Amino acid sequence: MKNDTAKQLIEQNNKYREQLTPENKKYYEDILLYMRTFGFFYEELETEHYLMTILQDILEAQKHGESAEEYFGKNPKEIVDQLIKHFDKPSWKSIFKISGLIFLISSFYTICGSFIAPTLQVNVFVLLMNAILSIASVYGVFKLLHLSIYIKKQFPKIIKFFVIWILLMIPFGLFILIQFYAPKQGIVKIGPPFDWMAILVILIMAMVYVLFKKKREFYGGLVYVVSLGIFGLLLRIPQTKEFFQGGKNPTYIVLVIILPLALFGLVNWLILRKMKDEN
């Protein structure tokens, strides 16, 4: 019920926001982003109620020829910070929701990455550390985004891009380092015939979910995973296993590195192109 009410408020907000003048819209959208990045740690409904109240106040002031800056002042951050103090206790549900999604995606690709290894295996410690890093990354990203909105000093676009790139690469690099330095005691090996059976089950589940739900944003990832799965199956079929020399054949190594990534990039490019044509 709360989620439905929050969604209705978001839809109303999107609609009413179009009635603002360009100047007032920019002023309000900074407030909106500032509150939502902070409100992510609280109940969504509470945040949206406050945002709608502020929007209605600005629209009312606009009717009387008063700008948002004249109504709220030149430092809206202070007013919003005062409002935030009245928020209820933080809700970790949202944090765990998006963290869980990142954890599932990172763990899924970790498992799929082992398809092309001679022995299918999963490191429990890797999955555990992925979960911790997912929560920390989500909290850190939203906190930094929240703090950056009202930074007055303007930086060149190249510096902003570089800073954002570094911030994104840090968790990405940590996810990769975890694969190499996680304790080996947590490794669980899956031997034949359960290895190729597990690969088939994972591939079927991934295809059913993405294709039936029509998740176009996951098409590139699906092609990447399916190509890894096919190589993994070829590595375990007696007729082709000898040709790939147990995963040591140079041709096999080059193909499993280049082909899945190339297909991933190609499919994503085609999807983006199609989306642009539709718009």
Side-chain angles (χ1 to χ4, degrees):
M1 188 68 181
K2 282 185 177 180
N3 288 340
D4 291 338
T5 306
K7 285 178 182 177
Q8 288 174 5
L9 284 171
I10 291 170
E11 289 174 4
Q12 289 175 7
N13 194 305
N14 294 337
K15 182 181 177 182
Y16 294 152
R17 206 159 68 241
E18 296 304 314
Q19 298 175 24
L20 294 171
T21 63
E23 182 187 355
N24 287 346
K25 190 176 182 183
K26 171 68 172 63
Y27 185 97
Y28 176 73
E29 286 182 346
D30 282 345
I31 292 175
L32 180 142
L33 188 57
Y34 187 74
M35 286 192 72
R36 280 184 180 168
T37 50
F38 182 86
F40 182 80
F41 306 117
Y42 291 79
E43 286 292 343
E44 184 182 30
L45 182 58
E46 186 177 24
T47 304
E48 294 306 323
H49 269 307
Y50 276 112
L51 282 169
M52 181 56 71
T53 301
I54 294 170
L55 177 56
Q56 289 171 339
D57 287 345
I58 292 176
L59 283 169
E60 190 62 32
Q62 184 175 284
K63 286 180 183 177
H64 295 90
E66 193 174 5
S67 71
E69 187 174 288
E70 289 171 339
Y71 184 80
F72 272 101
K74 293 184 178 181
N75 193 356
K77 179 179 178 298
E78 289 183 0
I79 297 171
V80 176
D81 285 340
Q82 288 298 318
L83 284 174
I84 286 170
K85 288 180 181 178
H86 296 94
F87 276 29
D88 291 333
K89 291 181 179 179
S91 169
W92 286 89
K93 184 175 75 173
S94 297
I95 300 174
F96 285 121
K97 185 178 178 180
I98 194 167
S99 299
L101 180 62
I102 294 172
F103 166 66
L104 286 174
I105 292 172
S106 63
S107 298
F108 179 71
Y109 280 108
T110 297
I111 294 168
C112 293
S114 67
F115 287 174
I116 56 176
T119 303
L120 186 63
Q121 58 187 32
V122 179
N123 192 326
V124 177
F125 286 115
V126 169
L127 300 182
L128 179 62
M129 285 188 277
N130 276 352
I132 296 169
L133 181 56
S134 297
I135 295 170
S137 297
V138 169
Y139 184 86
V141 165
F142 275 86
K143 200 71 177 174
L144 284 169
L145 185 61
H146 173 73
L147 294 172
S148 68
I149 292 164
Y150 283 110
I151 292 177
K152 294 180 180 179
K153 185 172 176 60
Q154 295 295 316
F155 296 97
K157 287 184 178 180
I158 186 68
I159 294 178
K160 287 181 180 178
F161 173 80
F162 184 72
V163 170
I164 292 170
W165 183 81
I166 290 290
L167 291 174
L168 289 174
M169 285 300 105
I170 289 173
F172 183 74
L174 289 173
F175 276 118
I176 293 174
L177 287 173
I178 284 172
Q179 313 297 321
F180 292 103
Y181 295 103
K184 304 301 179 186
Q185 293 87 341
I187 292 177
V188 177
K189 294 183 178 181
I190 304 171
F194 301 106
D195 52 356
W196 63 264
M197 290 171 63
I199 292 172
L200 274 177
V201 169
I202 291 171
L203 291 182
I204 291 169
M205 288 175 64
M207 287 189 288
V208 168
Y209 175 76
V210 175
L211 297 177
F212 277 80
K213 293 273 188 178
K214 296 183 179 178
K215 298 278 187 179
R216 291 197 300 181
E217 64 273 23
F218 293 150
Y219 283 0
L222 178 64
V223 171
Y224 177 81
V225 168
V226 169
S227 59
L228 288 179
I230 291 171
F231 280 118
L233 291 171
L234 291 174
L235 190 62
R236 288 163 176 82
I237 296 172
Q239 290 80 358
T240 53
K241 185 177 181 180
E242 288 186 15
F243 174 76
F244 290 127
Q245 299 170 16
K248 295 177 182 178
N249 187 313
T251 304
Y252 173 81
I253 295 170
V254 171
L255 282 174
V256 296
I257 293 173
I258 295 176
L259 188 61
L261 288 172
L263 290 171
F264 174 80
L266 176 62
V267 171
N268 279 330
W269 177 75
L270 290 171
I271 293 295
L272 287 171
R273 201 173 147 188
K274 187 175 180 181
M275 289 171 69
K276 283 182 180 178
D277 292 339
E278 289 174 355
N279 293 329

